[in-house]
Structure formats: structure tokens, C-alpha cells
Amino acid sequence: TQKLTYENGLLKMNYTGGDTCHKVYQRSTTIFFYCDRSTQRPVFLRETSDCSYLFEWRTQYACAPFDVTECSFKDGAGNTFDLSSLARYSDNWEAVTRTGATEHYLINVCKSLSPQAGSEPCPPEAAACLLSGSKPVNLGRVSEGPQWGDGATVLKYVDGDLCPDQIRKKSTTIRFTCSESQV
């Protein structure tokens, strides 16, 4: 078949009914498609014991529609700051709490989150999301690019899920500080 399937956050295509293998199996091929900002060549992963051939293909054509914003700016002194290399297309940044709690956060920079596998993914419009065991919480979507504020580069996401007061919506502020030794 050449039918594309989407299963557990994974886009794949199966080709079946190939030549007989080991006098028992029929050869088959599965191609897993992953979102990437540019199309690359397919990569052979492995052959399984039952004669299935597995490939990975990273391409922009496997990306779900996403919100994106300009990711660079100039400060008052004319310095240019560009965070676009921090935008992720095939996965997301993950932040954990310092206390060792099980909750963790998925974050992308200047674009909505890349699709993730799992039973209960974050909403597709979210640029920041809280995973804490229950339903994922949208902590905000892309609205505008980074700006300079209080001595740091600041990126704000707005219009997330409703707050407990059922009036306001959750938002996220990410402050980027310069570090020569780490991303």
C-alpha cells in the first residue's frame, strides 16, 4: 500500500507483499516520516529478523501546520539578537523543575511545539506546555517575537488554557541570558 498512516504521533508508510525471504516471510518496508525544517535523504535504519526494512525520512512535508514568528530583534544600541537557531522542528526543549517533581515542561522558541508521540499530546497551537500526569496544559501560543526587557532577551507566549479563575488565560515568559558555555 502507499497509504500514509498516523499512529501515536508517528507518520509512516508501509509497503508490503515483497519477495519471499527465508522461505517464510514476505519482504516489507516501513518509512517513518519526521518533521524537519528541510528535506533530507531517507536513512536506512535496519532490517528486522522477519525481513522488514525500516527507514527514517526527515522532511518539512511531514510537519503539521504551526504558528511561527520573527525570532530576531535589535536592541536600542543596535545589537542584533537572533534566537532562530533555538527553534525545534522534530522535537521540543524540555525543562524539569529543580525540586525533582514529575512535572515537566515542553517549550519551543518562536514557533508552536513540534508534534510529540504519546497518548495525550499538547495542543497543536501551544508553544509551551505543562505535562504533569493528567491532561497537558497549554501555557501559551506564539504571538510576537523576542524583545529586550530588564537586561535580558524576553519571549512571551499568550492565550493558553484558562486560569482557575475562568477569566484570564495562562501565559509564559522566557528570559534568555547570555552563557558562553551552554545552550
Side-chain angles (χ1 to χ4, degrees):
T1 179
Q2 292 185 18
K3 189 170 84 170
L4 199 58
T5 59
Y6 183 77
E7 188 177 303
N8 288 334
L10 199 56
L11 198 57
K12 66 181 180 178
M13 184 178 284
N14 289 319
Y15 294 95
T16 57
D19 291 343
T20 302
C21 176
H22 304 303
K23 300 180 184 173
V24 179
Y25 306 109
Q26 278 193 292
R27 295 185 193 278
S28 65
T29 298
T30 301
I31 304 171
F32 300 100
F33 295 95
Y34 294 97
C35 174
D36 206 309
R37 81 169 70 184
S38 62
T39 296
Q40 301 170 17
R41 292 180 179 209
V43 174
F44 175 72
L45 299 175
R46 71 179 194 275
E47 178 184 358
T48 64
S49 58
D50 63 354
C51 302
S52 290
Y53 299 85
L54 306 179
F55 292 85
E56 173 182 291
W57 200 342
R58 296 188 174 275
T59 173
Q60 75 263 29
Y61 301 113
C63 299
F66 54 85
D67 294 332
V68 66
T69 187
E70 175 61 40
C71 208
S72 64
F73 71 98
K74 284 189 178 185
D75 67 5
N79 299 307
T80 299
F81 296 84
D82 186 357
L83 301 178
S84 60
S85 63
L86 295 174
R88 295 260 176 113
Y89 288 80
S90 55
D91 61 356
N92 300 294
W93 293 101
E94 189 169 345
V96 293
T97 60
R98 293 176 197 241
T99 62
T102 58
E103 66 188 25
H104 62 280
Y105 301 83
L106 295 181
I107 301 168
N108 211 339
V109 177
C110 299
K111 71 175 280 301
S112 48
L113 294 171
S114 295
Q116 65 273 321
S119 55
E120 184 88 41
C122 296
E125 70 278 3
C129 182
L130 168 63
L131 301 172
S132 61
S134 59
K135 183 179 171 200
V137 179
N138 179 353
L139 299 177
R141 65 186 307 160
V142 171
S143 64
E144 58 185 40
Q147 299 176 1
W148 186 256
D150 295 328
T153 301
V154 177
L155 184 61
K156 292 183 180 180
Y157 297 142
V158 297
D159 293 328
D161 288 346
L162 279 173
C163 293
D165 65 12
Q166 299 296 307
I167 299 169
R168 296 173 297 146
K169 290 189 172 187
K170 294 182 185 288
S171 63
T172 297
T173 301
I174 305 170
R175 294 176 49 84
F176 295 88
T177 56
C178 179
S179 173
E180 298 290 335
S181 63
Q182 60 186 6
V183 175

